[in-house]
Amino acid sequence: MTNHWVDIKNADVILIMGGNAAEAHPCGFKWVTEAKAHNKARLIVVDPRFTRSASVADLYVPIRTGTDIVFLGGVIRYLLANDKIQHEYVRNYTDFSFIVREDFSFERGLFSGYDAEKRTYDKASWDYEKGEDGFVKTDPTLGHPRCVYNLLKQHYARYTPEMVERVCGTPRDKFQAVCDLLASTAVPTRAMTILYALGWTQHSIGSQIIRTGAMVQLLLGNIGVAGGGMNALRGHSNIQGLTDLGLMSNLLPGYMTLPTEQEQDYDQYIEARASKPLRPNQLSYWQNYGKFHVSLMKAWWGDAATAENRWAFDYLPKLDKPYDLLQVVELMNQDKMTGYIAQGFNPLAAAPNKAKVMRGLSRLKFLVVMDPLATETSEFWRHAGEYNDVDPAQIQTEVFRLPTTCFAEEDGSLVNSGRWLQWHWKGAEPPGLARTDIEIMSGLFLRLRELYRKDGGKFPDPIVKLSWPYARPDSPTPEEIAKEYSGRALTDLADPKDPAKILHRAGEQLSGFAELRDDGSTLSGCWIFCGAWTQAGNQMARRDNADPTGIGQTLNWAWAWPANRRVLYNRASCDTAGKPFNPARKLIGWNGKSWGGADVPDFKIDEDPGQGMGPFIMLPEGVARFFARANMAEGPFPEHYEPFETPLGYNLMNGKRPEAVSNPAARVFPGDWANFGKADAFPHVATTYRLTEHFHYWTKHARINAVLQPEQFVEIGEALAKEIGIVAGDRVKVSSKRGYIKAVALVTKRIKPLQIDGRTVHTVGVPIHWGFTGLARPGFLANTLTPFVADGNSQTPEFKSFLVKVEKA
Ligand SMILES: Nc1nc2c(c(=O)[nH]1)N[C@H]1C(S)=C(S)[C@@H](COP(=O)(O)OP(=O)(O)OC[C@H]3O[C@@H](n4cnc5c(=O)[nH]c(N)nc54)[C@H](O)[C@@H]3O)O[C@H]1N2
Ligand SMILES: Nc1nc2c(c(=O)[nH]1)N[C@H]1C(S)=C(S)[C@@H](COP(=O)(O)OP(=O)(O)OC[C@H]3O[C@@H](n4cnc5c(=O)[nH]c(N)nc54)[C@H](O)[C@@H]3O)O[C@H]1N2
Ligand SMILES: [Mo]
């Protein structure tokens, strides 16, 4: 979230699109209710299904899955055509006036530089035009035909209400009603929040859907303000912490990135990330990358990371490709993976195309499952009737189960969607043989290190020299690890402005990331967490909910990254002179000497606004981007592509160009092309989702949840039920190109057929929670049905839109 949960109460308009907050985030949803009750906020829900969120909305609007870019592109067109934008904001705080290179082009669904064979773009032309001084050329009059404003207008001119109706199936009057409500927040005193989750991310074009939403918010001046923002409602209680700490194959902690295999040189690696400003007087805060990086390497390798060995740069793996879930399953299938550790993860249930995952797991030599429960993954080799029709004798994989504790049985911190690090305390002692994940990982590490010490190996240094300074090496405490993430001084640190003044003695906890240095004198395991545990103690354990201005800014409750800031980009809540656009919901302001207010300023604290520094200080532009340059796989402006399994078979937005029906830069493994179904055999659109009564695949082990939602069902609209001759309670068979499941039919008024380009399209809803372990009725895995294709940026699978055929079982 750019904002945070409590801040939702400040919104005047709430758009829930690509998520179902009432069911998947029932506690956080109370802030939506607060906004409606106390702020007369209007709630809009755009979803293929009439959900529990929709049931309390002022406006429910249906949409076909995977077509949100057409809808949002239509909104962009409407806002530009009817001059419903916040002018001062857009002119000063975005790249509207920036001039784009002459060789950049877009034609019928493809941008300049496409290589059809490799399915990737040469992105050189996706850039601004630069002057002799190295800065980007701009045209503040916005008259230049290649300035971002004009290119944007031109790009979305095709996204008309007629197209929205034909592609999304959204009735024109409903679309118009959404446009009017959104446009009402273009004035500086009204704000809209967008709440989204997997209904936007789990598509082959997911990242670009989210960008389109962000562009709408920028046009309306809704980023950086109270009650505004782009708010990703995250999943598992600590999934925000997972990405913060870099637990993705291409990331390092704090959103730093691993070097690629082309980057063998340390200086080259740093220079590519420490971007110089693209406009005069801009901050471009990532120029400090080296300080964050060296402090990380000191945390990981201690004294072994020295100036001479370039802070142990050679110890870092150099990436040839992302090693996300689909890649790993693909490598298993190619016999390129010997073993796999599933820690708190149930890939057989969670990954797409169960048959392919099954084949992959069966080819491993060993599989380690660290989990408090028996999962489908740990039992994948067991015959479970029709649901898991395998012959154990044919599977040679050796499976080890290491029973872990569960989050409620240990102390630690969780990062919520609003970036708050909240400390928690254990509620119970773990049962039986269960051990914490930290103990198990430490045990593995100490034994591996011993093996490397004894036997050597190709390159033992990264393991043997890993810093392990914990009082009990076999069981580091959460407190020790939290202090390390936050960071400390390794030598006495003098004040750069006054060398006689010592800021911190060696060994003291640091106050924040501004103190990090690139000379080896500081250590921090995750720079954005720096300040979470200071000399004053554990900031994450703070529980003072005082809210001095009444807008939900409880700065002494827990601790938010970065720097305890609650609303990112909050400088943009003020005009160019530093006066809040909306004094009634003031976050910060300029008092003539410094910035301050109800939040920690996202700006240089003493920067005079007259100097023209832009509010988006992490970007070299200093302003927000409509034109994404080379940062996205499929183009600098979001463009609609059909899901890989499309009920239409063509793309109306580009005149049915055959090479650009679906995302031309999505990731597909060669063997999977034959595994996509077509509408003639699989005429119904399916989408998968969760229910409040279950948490993925593990609450079916708890009796009360298993009783509440005992078995797999699928939601089918009344018209489709009639067409295939079934009534509520009948058993149906749902098939896709990958396999079939059987389920109880729930016939409902909540899913209506859509009219798409002159034909009727039915949507089928498939909740995801059941399988063949636990106390609920044994059943199929929903992911038997889903396709193996991913967004080319995030590698997230297309769980939300695929084709099936439903028939009476
Ligand atoms: N009770 C409960 N809560 C949970 C979880 C759980 O398992 N149980 N899981 C947690 C996790 S890990 C996550 S990631 C979050 C997920 O949170 P959500 O994303 O809110 O959860 P989903 O149920 O997957 O909801 C997706 C919604 O998007 C809609 N949708 C599908 N396709 C499209 C589309 O193309 N466009 C639009 N506009 N909408 C579409 C679906 O109909 C559905 O209503 O929930 C978290 N919260
Ligand atoms: N078709 C379809 N597929 C989907 C989705 C979808 O919407 N549609 N959503 C996707 C999403 S967003 C997600 S997040 C995944 C979820 O997929 P998973 O993360 O695999 O699902 P969970 O059942 O939450 O698995 C978590 C496991 O962690 C264990 N666990 C709990 N506490 C601890 C602990 O402290 N330590 C350890 N080691 N284990 C613990 C639980 O027992 C459980 O088995 O599913 C994905 N798959
Ligand atoms: Mo998730």
Side-chain angles (χ1 to χ4, degrees), residues 241-461:
L242 178 141
T243 39
D244 296 345
L245 286 169
L247 286 174
M248 292 182 37
S249 68
N250 61 328
L251 289 185
L252 290 170
Y255 301 94
M256 291 192 281
T257 47
L258 268 181
T260 65
E261 61 181 0
Q262 284 80 37
E263 295 177 308
Q264 300 292 337
D265 178 65
Y266 172 76
D267 294 322
Q268 176 204 358
Y269 165 77
I270 296 289
E271 203 185 301
R273 286 156 182 80
S275 329
K276 303 243 157 32
L278 284 169
R279 292 289 302 153
N281 303 324
Q282 301 309 313
L283 193 56
S284 191
Y285 200 76
W286 276 118
Q287 285 185 99
N288 295 300
Y289 194 95
K291 298 175 186 167
F292 313 148
H293 190 258
V294 172
S295 299
L296 170 68
M297 302 301 268
K298 290 303 286 182
W300 282 3
W301 284 294
D303 292 342
T306 63
E308 290 69 46
N309 72 4
R310 313 306 269 153
W311 313 107
F313 184 65
D314 290 345
Y315 293 8
L316 287 178
K318 311 290 183 292
L319 208 61
D320 61 339
K321 52 175 172 284
Y323 287 86
D324 56 283
L325 174 60
L326 299 203
Q327 182 77 256
V328 164
V329 171
E330 172 70 17
L331 291 172
M332 288 177 190
N333 274 269
Q334 295 175 14
D335 286 326
K336 289 183 181 154
M337 190 73 69
T338 311
Y340 185 71
I341 303 182
Q343 181 183 7
F345 183 35
N346 188 354
L348 188 68
N353 191 356
K354 183 212 168 201
K356 183 167 179 175
V357 183
M358 194 67 206
R359 230 172 16 246
L361 295 176
S362 309
R363 293 167 112 101
L364 294 170
K365 280 216 172 62
F366 67 90
L367 169 68
V368 180
V369 180
M370 292 171 59
D371 205 289
L373 300 165
T375 65
E376 278 72 15
T377 301
S378 72
E379 312 305 296
F380 83 93
W381 49 272
R382 245 189 242 281
H383 183 77
E386 201 181 359
Y387 315 125
N388 201 45
D389 193 9
V390 295
D391 175 6
Q394 299 300 311
I395 300 173
Q396 299 307 312
T397 313
E398 192 168 358
V399 180
F400 301 88
R401 282 181 55 196
L402 305 179
T404 64
T405 55
C406 160
F407 64 91
E409 294 158 351
E410 57 200 8
D411 298 348
S413 72
L414 298 167
V415 190
N416 77 4
S417 303
R419 296 166 286 99
W420 296 8
L421 283 74
Q422 305 193 82
W423 199 260
H424 67 93
W425 292 268
K426 73 166 119 178
E429 291 303 323
L433 294 174
R435 294 208 194 171
T436 68
D437 289 84
I438 298 182
E439 280 179 280
I440 297 174
M441 295 309 282
S442 302
L444 281 174
F445 165 68
L446 294 174
R447 284 166 180 81
L448 275 172
R449 187 175 68 180
E450 207 38 47
L451 280 174
Y452 271 106
R453 274 189 184 149
K454 257 198 1 247
D455 303 344
K458 261 209 179 117
F459 187 29
D461 290 13

Side-chain angles (χ1 to χ4, degrees), residues 71-81 152 156 212 215-216 219:
F71 192 106
L72 296 165
V75 172
I76 291 176
R77 183 191 159 277
Y78 171 85
L79 297 177
L80 290 172
L152 183 79
Y156 291 104
T212 325
M215 286 160 69
V216 168
L219 288 174

Side-chain angles (χ1 to χ4, degrees), residues 198 235-236 690 696:
L198 303 178
H236 286 97
R690 358 176 100 58
H696 302 142

Side-chain angles (χ1 to χ4, degrees), residues 511-513 527-531 559-566 599-601:
S511 314
F513 54 72
W527 73 275
I528 57 174
F529 289 178
C530 192
W559 186 88
W561 73 258
N564 200 28
R565 180 171 301 129
R566 307 292 160 128
D599 201 358
V600 177

Side-chain angles (χ1 to χ4, degrees), residues 714 716 721 724-733 743-747 808-809:
V714 294
I716 294 170
I724 59 176
I726 57 146
V727 295
D730 279 351
R731 284 188 75 77
V732 287
K733 181 176 175 188
V744 176
L746 190 157
V747 178
K808 197 166 175 167

Side-chain angles (χ1 to χ4, degrees), residues 722-742:
K722 205 163 157 206
E723 205 177 293
I724 59 176
I726 57 146
V727 295
D730 279 351
R731 284 188 75 77
V732 287
K733 181 176 175 188
V734 184
S735 325
S736 78
K737 191 73 199 275
R738 275 84 40 198
Y740 69 87
I741 67 169
K742 289 178 185 163

Side-chain angles (χ1 to χ4, degrees), residues 245 253 480-487 523-527 529-530:
L245 286 169
E480 283 174 311
I481 294 171
K483 284 181 182 168
E484 179 180 310
Y485 287 145
S486 187
L523 158 168
S524 167
C526 183
W527 73 275
F529 289 178
C530 192

